[in-house]
Amino acid sequence: MKVTSQSTASAMVLPLSLIQTAIDHPILIELKNGETYNGNLIKCDTWMNIFLRDVICTSKDGDQFLKLPECFIRGNTIKYMRIPDEVIDMVKDEPVRRHQNYRSARGRAGARVGNRPQPNSKKPKQGGNNPNSRRKKAEN
């Protein structure tokens, strides 16, 4: 993947969005141990685990080749990935989405379910073992 200064200045591309755009496109992956995998990208998750189809695996020395129908590659073993230029151009054309669905995905600030009280609307118990209720009774 060759990126020039002109392309990086025009738009910032996040790695996972680039890989997600590359789904159903050919991709080359080199692992830290030197093996390379060429195949069509089927899936990628947030840990950059990759699932490929129609894979050709090349050994570190380049003297052995394996043809595999499908292959799973763990993300932390990847040294680099080569993605076609057409995919990079596709990512640049997509609009930048900042914080999309950010608030709805958060826990406390998200949508309320049912009749749960708001975080600041706790009412003190009346009577019982609440020390504040004893003070109020003594003051009257």
Side-chain angles (χ1 to χ4, degrees):
M1 176 173 78
K2 186 177 181 181
V3 179
T4 62
S5 61
Q6 292 175 349
S7 63
T8 56
S10 63
M12 183 177 76
V13 178
L14 298 175
L16 285 175
S17 64
L18 176 65
I19 297 170
Q20 289 292 333
T21 307
I23 289 177
D24 294 329
H25 287 86
I27 192 168
L28 176 135
I29 299 174
E30 182 172 335
L31 303 185
K32 293 176 183 176
N33 66 5
E35 294 178 345
T36 59
Y37 291 82
N38 285 294
N40 290 324
L41 180 63
I42 301 301
K43 267 188 181 178
C44 175
D45 63 13
T46 54
W47 295 278
M48 219 175 289
N49 296 324
I50 303 287
F51 187 73
L52 299 174
R53 256 202 199 120
D54 301 325
V55 183
I56 296 176
C57 174
T58 307
S59 67
K60 181 179 180 178
D61 302 327
D63 57 352
Q64 294 180 348
F65 300 93
L66 282 164
K67 187 169 183 177
L68 306 168
E70 52 192 29
C71 175
F72 176 83
I73 300 172
R74 187 174 165 138
N76 68 347
T77 63
I78 296 173
K79 183 177 182 180
Y80 76 85
M81 302 170 80
R82 184 166 184 154
I83 298 172
D85 291 335
E86 63 188 39
V87 174
I88 296 170
D89 295 336
M90 288 169 50
V91 173
K92 289 179 196 172
D93 293 339
E94 289 181 7
V96 177
R97 296 180 204 121
R98 294 183 186 195
H99 304 292
Q100 182 179 14
N101 295 329
Y102 178 69
R103 288 213 157 116
S104 65
R106 295 178 71 194
R108 289 180 60 149
R112 299 284 167 202
V113 178
N115 292 327
R116 288 192 286 172
Q118 297 293 329
N120 295 331
S121 66
K122 291 184 178 179
K123 295 180 182 178
K125 293 180 182 179
Q126 297 296 325
N129 294 329
N130 190 347
N132 293 332
S133 65
R134 289 184 192 145
R135 277 191 215 143
K136 287 180 185 176
K137 287 180 185 177
E139 290 173 3
N140 291 335

